[in-house]
Amino acid sequence: MASQVFLLQVALVVLLVVCGVLALVLQSERDTGTEARRRSIAVAQTFAHSPGVLQALRTPDPSKVLQPLTEMGRKSAGVDFIVVMNTKGIRYTHPIPSKIGHRFVGRIGPSLAGKVYTESVHGPLGHEVQATVPIDDDHGRVTALVSAGLKVKNVTNAVDRQLPIILTAGAGALVVTTGGTALVGRRLRRQTHSLAADEMSRMYEHHDTVLHSVREGVLIVDADERILLANDEARRLLELPSDVEGRSVRELPGLDPAMTELLVSGREAGDEVHFAGGRLLAVNQRPTDRAGCPGGIVVTLRDSTELQAVSGRAEVTRERLELLYDAGLGIGTSLDVVRTADELTRVAVPRFADFVTVDVADAVLHGEEPGPTATDMRRVAVGGIRDDHPLYEKGRLIDFLPSTPQARGYDAGRSELVTDLSSAQDWQAQDPERARQIVEFGIHSLVTAPIQARGEVLGMVNFWRSKREPFDHEELSLAEELVARAAVSIDNARRYTREHALAVTLQRSLLPRTLPEQSALDVGYRYLPAQSGVSGDWFDVIPLPGSRVALAVGDVVGHGLHAAATMGRLRTAVHNFSTLDLPPDELLSHLDDLVGRIDQHEASPETAGEIVGATCLYAIYDPVTRRCVMARAGHLAPALIHPDGSVTFPDVPAGPPLGLGGMPFQTAELDLPEGSQLVLYTDGLIEDRTRDLDVGMELLRRALAGHPERTPEESCQAALDALLPERPVDDVALLIARTRALPADQVADWDVPRDPAAVSGMRAAVSGQLEQWGLSELGFGMELVLSELITNAIRYGSDPIHVRLIHDRTLICEVADASSTSPHLRYAATTDEGGRGLFLVSQLAERWGTRYTDQGKVIWAELAVPDMPDMPDLGEFLVD
């Protein structure tokens, strides 16, 4: 079709060009004459209205002014003459100056009447074509005339000159139109995809078919508010008549006013929802007056009635998904049953229910397995949109009747839905009076869902509604999903509670339950397990011979049962090493070797190295000398509260943590006035992620300073209140000991010469001292013990020999010499001459032993006061 159009257009263009050239030649002659007239009129009018012409006419000699102007205008305008004359036809100007003052050749009557008059005359220049126009003054009166024109022979010459141009233009037009026709044909083929006419007809038929069969209404409204096009769907949606096309929008019957206003407004609209014909229509409207298109609008309509319903359900689904997502983030942030239950209530209220109550088996709160029935249920969480509700309060123990939804759901492990509480007799049977109050309060429906995890029902969650529609079966599954999110966390919290309780029980069993009786120190202590799990913090108070007392505080790295068990082993080791009466540095060295062996040989591959890093501080206080000797292995320095209330941190050499080995420990000796308080603690007291260690020690100093009158127990509580958060993340062991001094009148000592004869003198001196103390009944036993110990020191020891007697809770006898040889208890046979001395001492004394000092050794023995045990028969042991 494009080729045929192309050939037809070429033929037509050739014919038209030939005819056009002929017509142009003829027309050119006529148009040239017409052009001459138009040019004459234009030049005459232009000159008539030129500025200065009226002024020149008013001068005494108009020709003098106007003649140069007309000549200049004639030459520039391409005319043969411009003549200015008065109203009587007398010339003021002329190309031939001799003709000035003569009468104008031609008619001036029409021009004097205010008209433009053209004519062909034989004038001074020959055959002329001229136009005459009036010159009006300011009041519209004709004051003069102007005539301009051309000679006819010049017009004919112009036609002759135009003929080549006309022929050339015709040829060019032929070329241009032929090329344009080719381009149009090519573009037509490209745009129509070389479709034939019948194919294009079918295409337009298909277009109409699609336009009227789509499920979207289409309207085209012109700028006059008339409908140009309306497809079948638009007619159906808007209930338009069949003859709607061509009618005004405002005249359409039954069209919703809001829709009419939108269609005539011409504004843009995007998916605006309008009500029409009982339907919700989504309307899109765009103007068509862009890019040169005629004015109007194009409107598309979609029936969104069902879509709105689906969107409503989708919105509900989205809200439920958001609720479940928030539940996944907000429930189970801690291993605490009550806190997890509170988090569930905060998530569900008010987005799902108006009130939420959580009841768990009371055994679950203690980490135990839940019971088989819904009895002994503890209400652990209550939340709602109001606080004045009549539901059971938090903390109440509830026994649900078997007929209640809670009991049925607990037994079967299934959720229960009660859509109308006012008619639910089985629910009201639990507590009729409270049920009446709940119904009167406005609570009308209930969903109760079991808290089920790992095959066990741990409790029930009750969702109540009062302000919205009752629960339905679809929301039953949502309630189950919400509770399922919390059930695993509650079960984890229960299991953690059980394990934490076991670990705490183990740890507390390994810590001292009561402090031993002693007279050297007034002791207060605190132990707080961490909320996240037990640790290896420990402390101990160990009485030592000579009224001395050992204080120990330690920390094992890690948490859990392993750390607690390891702590027990280390505490037992310290007790065992303390019986050897070792100095603090030596005791820590033995403890360091023990930890190294445990890590190297006894730990499993999974726990290897877990003990390395344990710390310990060990101190020994002597109330006789008021001196404290201490050493530390990786532990924090102790605090010292002076009698005046000031607090310092003594400079105790810091040894490496236990288990590293290779480095010795050093001791520090402090002279403590009576009434001083020694503060030993673990790092859980002062360390915190939010502050530096120095800040924690400064806070401890401030908490303890300025109150010397406090008892150790009061000082412990003050330190905990000042430094610990509500939920400490690490264990805390705190031990505060106020020093006492043994009065001088309760201590007696003597230097003994190395002479066997001195033994009898010492017996007499000791008997006299015991009489002063009112302990003469112990004289016999003490004399025997003292005689044996002094005799051994004289026989096997070295000078100097010193005897000290201490009256404390027990009667203590100490014999010191410069020798490091240790006595051994022997069990002599019947025929042996000796070897019964230390056996005699062990029988008479409550305890006895040896400790080593820098000067040698001290052999000591303790006798109970004032009640003496039954004395053994010593006759067979007495020797001369």
Side-chain angles (χ1 to χ4, degrees), residues 691-709:
R691 61 173 182 251
D692 294 335
L693 181 63
D694 294 341
V695 175
M697 297 184 71
E698 177 61 21
L699 291 176
L700 177 62
R701 187 192 66 79
R702 294 179 183 177
L704 299 176
H707 300 280
E709 76 286 352

Side-chain angles (χ1 to χ4, degrees), residues 22-37:
L22 295 176
L24 284 174
V25 171
L26 299 176
Q27 184 68 24
S28 178
E29 294 181 355
R30 187 176 66 82
D31 290 346
T32 301
T34 304
E35 177 63 21
R37 291 183 179 85

Side-chain angles (χ1 to χ4, degrees), residues 123-441:
L125 299 178
H127 192 193
E128 302 169 347
V129 177
Q130 64 184 15
T132 306
V133 298
I135 299 176
D136 298 332
D137 61 7
D138 294 338
H139 300 287
R141 294 189 298 272
V142 177
T143 59
L145 302 174
V146 175
S147 178
L150 296 169
K151 292 184 289 184
V152 174
K153 65 177 182 178
N154 290 340
V155 175
T156 305
N157 292 336
V159 173
D160 295 339
R161 291 193 301 271
Q162 290 176 357
L163 184 60
I165 298 174
I166 293 173
L167 294 176
T168 303
L174 177 61
V175 173
V176 171
T177 53
T178 304
T181 302
L183 292 176
V184 169
R186 182 179 178 182
R187 184 173 182 180
L188 180 61
R189 286 193 300 271
R190 185 171 62 250
Q191 291 181 342
T192 61
H193 301 282
S194 300
L195 294 175
D198 56 343
E199 293 175 333
M200 295 185 66
S201 298
R202 287 197 302 270
M203 182 184 69
Y204 281 104
E205 290 174 358
H206 294 164
H207 172 269
D208 291 340
T209 302
V210 172
L211 178 64
H212 292 286
S213 62
V214 294
R215 293 299 302 275
E216 185 169 300
V218 178
L219 287 176
I220 299 178
V221 182
D222 64 10
D224 297 329
E225 301 178 0
R226 295 186 177 276
I227 295 181
L228 301 180
L229 174 67
N231 68 349
D232 293 343
E233 183 67 9
R235 290 188 174 95
R236 185 184 70 84
L237 294 177
L238 298 178
E239 298 180 355
L240 302 177
S242 58
D243 60 344
V244 66
E245 295 178 354
R247 298 178 62 177
S248 174
V249 173
R250 299 182 185 273
E251 298 175 357
L252 297 179
L255 193 61
D256 186 74
M259 178 65 72
T260 302
E261 183 64 26
L262 175 63
L263 295 179
V264 301
S265 66
R267 63 178 177 85
E268 290 191 10
D271 285 336
E272 290 188 7
V273 179
H274 290 267
F275 184 81
R279 301 180 180 89
L280 290 175
L281 302 182
V283 182
N284 287 276
Q285 180 170 289
R286 295 291 183 274
T288 62
D289 55 353
R290 298 178 181 177
C293 297
I297 57 172
V298 175
V299 184
T300 59
L301 310 167
R302 295 195 313 274
D303 189 353
S304 62
T305 305
E306 296 182 0
L307 180 61
Q308 290 292 328
V310 173
S311 299
R313 291 193 295 270
E315 180 66 19
V316 172
T317 303
R318 184 188 64 81
E319 292 177 355
R320 292 180 179 180
L321 290 176
E322 287 184 357
L323 178 61
L324 293 177
Y325 176 77
D326 293 341
L329 296 179
I331 299 176
T333 61
S334 66
L335 292 174
D336 184 87
V337 174
V338 176
R339 184 173 179 180
T340 303
D342 286 334
E343 291 169 347
L344 174 59
T345 61
R346 287 196 295 269
V347 169
V349 176
R351 298 165 65 180
F352 178 66
D354 297 324
F355 300 92
V356 176
T357 58
V358 182
D359 307 320
V360 300
D362 198 45
V364 172
L365 296 175
H366 304 91
E368 302 172 1
E369 297 294 332
T373 60
T375 57
D376 292 334
M377 300 286 287
R378 181 77 64 180
R379 179 147 292 180
V380 296
V382 179
I385 58 176
R386 293 173 56 182
D387 296 331
D388 57 344
H389 56 79
L391 301 172
Y392 283 138
E393 67 278 2
K394 181 178 179 179
R396 181 167 184 148
L397 191 64
I398 308 171
D399 291 333
F400 288 105
L401 296 179
S403 63
T404 59
Q406 290 87 348
R408 293 197 304 268
Y410 188 94
D411 295 340
R414 295 194 304 268
S415 299
E416 291 275 339
L417 171 63
V418 182
T419 57
D420 186 6
L421 292 176
S422 62
S423 60
Q425 299 299 324
D426 51 358
W427 168 75
Q428 297 181 12
Q430 174 72 29
D431 189 341
E433 178 60 27
R434 187 174 294 270
R436 182 186 60 79
Q437 296 175 2
I438 292 174
V439 172
E440 292 178 353
F441 184 77

